[in-house]
């Protein structure tokens, strides 16, 4: 089972943290710090697996990671998961991010955090691998984007309608469209709609 998915930069700043087991905020921060300290000391030529730190569960857990440019992609897994399978999962995750953001970089992770979390949820849910087929993942992401566009259109129209229908907004709306400088606002009771 996957216990956590972490992405942090070369300076240890977390860019994505997703814990599939409950840990308090303080313990999560300690896990991130400890994981970074363990990984940052390793050379790029060594194996991409190591035993988990004392906080994440000790020797029963493994840290499987890949270091791409300025980012570490880390999955904390228990002994029932295949390390090579998780390495492949990291590769699928990175390639999916790369296709969604066209050469993904750290800023994409910062400014599109909701989309990154959605992509991760398409791949891993509740600590279990759900999907590894990149085509399927991208199909679901495109469907989600279409829904978001439709909702944005409906919400945009609803917002315009609410602005024109609210009595307190009617006055300011008409003031901006006043044809002459001697236009006066009626100070009587608000009209009921």
């Amino acid at each position: 089972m996957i216990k956590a998915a972490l992405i942090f930069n070369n300076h240890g700043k977390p860019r994505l943290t997703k814990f599939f087991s409950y840990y308090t905020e303080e313990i999560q921060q300690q896990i991130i710090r400890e994981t970074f300290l363990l990984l940052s000391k390793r050379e790029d030529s060594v194996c991409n697996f190591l035993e988990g730190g004392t906080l994440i569960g000790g020797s029963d857990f493994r840290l499987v990671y890949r270091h791409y440019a300025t980012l570490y992609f880390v999955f904390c897994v228990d002994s029932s998961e295949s390390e090579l399978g998780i390495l492949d999962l990291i590769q699928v995750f990175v390639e999916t991010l790369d296709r969604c953001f066209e050469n993904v970089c750290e800023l994409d992770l910062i400014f599109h955090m909701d989309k990154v979390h959605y992509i991760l949820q398409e791949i891993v849910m509740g600590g279990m691998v759900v999907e590894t087929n990149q085509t399927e993942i991208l199909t679901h992401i495109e469907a989600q984007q279409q829904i978001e566009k439709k909702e944005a259109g409906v919400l945009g129209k609803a917002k315009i309608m609410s602005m024109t229908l609210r009595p307190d907004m009617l006055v300011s709306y008409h003031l901006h469209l006043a044809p002459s400088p001697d236009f006066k606002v009626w100070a009587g009771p608000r009209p009921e709609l």
Side-chain angles (χ1 to χ4, degrees):
M1 183 171 178
I2 298 171
K3 297 293 182 184
L6 309 170
I7 302 175
F8 45 82
N9 66 11
N10 289 339
H11 303 290
K13 299 236 187 253
R15 298 304 180 204
L16 174 120
T17 57
K18 178 69 176 174
F19 289 88
F20 298 104
S21 297
Y22 175 75
Y23 297 101
T24 63
E25 181 89 21
E26 183 180 312
I27 297 295
Q28 287 179 11
Q29 293 302 317
Q30 288 176 345
I31 289 170
I32 292 166
R33 228 176 290 119
E34 183 178 340
T35 302
F36 174 71
L37 287 175
L38 286 171
L39 298 181
S40 63
K41 294 176 186 175
R42 295 172 64 90
E43 296 179 22
D44 288 336
S45 60
V46 298
C47 179
N48 290 347
F49 324 129
L50 70 146
E51 286 189 6
T54 55
L55 293 172
I56 197 86
S59 62
D60 188 40
F61 292 88
R62 306 271 184 270
L63 296 175
V64 181
Y65 72 97
R66 292 295 285 276
H67 186 206
Y68 295 98
T70 62
L71 296 171
Y72 286 94
F73 289 78
V74 184
F75 279 70
C76 305
V77 299
D78 62 17
S79 58
S80 67
E81 293 288 342
S82 164
E83 288 92 354
L84 291 174
I86 297 299
L87 265 180
D88 189 43
L89 187 70
I90 293 173
Q91 184 68 31
V92 168
F93 183 43
V94 172
E95 285 179 7
T96 304
L97 289 172
D98 208 37
R99 297 229 355 231
C100 288
F101 295 114
E102 298 176 15
N103 294 329
V104 67
C105 66
E106 190 173 346
L107 290 175
D108 291 323
L109 301 180
I110 294 169
F111 292 115
H112 303 288
M113 185 59 62
D114 55 338
K115 192 171 184 179
V116 175
H117 275 279
Y118 180 74
I119 293 168
L120 181 62
Q121 286 176 352
E122 285 295 318
I123 298 171
V124 179
M125 191 174 291
M128 303 299 283
V129 177
V130 179
E131 185 64 65
T132 58
N133 184 344
Q134 190 175 18
T135 307
E136 283 292 318
I137 296 166
L138 290 170
T139 302
H140 292 287
I141 292 166
E142 289 171 9
Q144 178 67 24
Q145 288 174 341
Q146 292 299 324
I147 291 170
E148 288 175 1
K149 285 180 185 176
K150 285 181 185 176
E151 286 180 355
V154 170
L155 290 176
K157 289 178 185 174
K159 189 174 183 180
I160 291 170
M161 291 295 289
S162 69
M163 284 180 64
T164 58
L165 295 178
R166 285 180 39 202
D168 57 331
M169 295 298 285
L170 284 174
V171 171
S172 62
Y173 180 74
H174 289 297
L175 285 176
H176 293 294
L177 299 177
S180 65
D182 60 340
F183 178 80
K184 302 213 188 242
V185 177
W186 184 55
R190 291 186 177 177
E192 291 190 16
L193 299 175

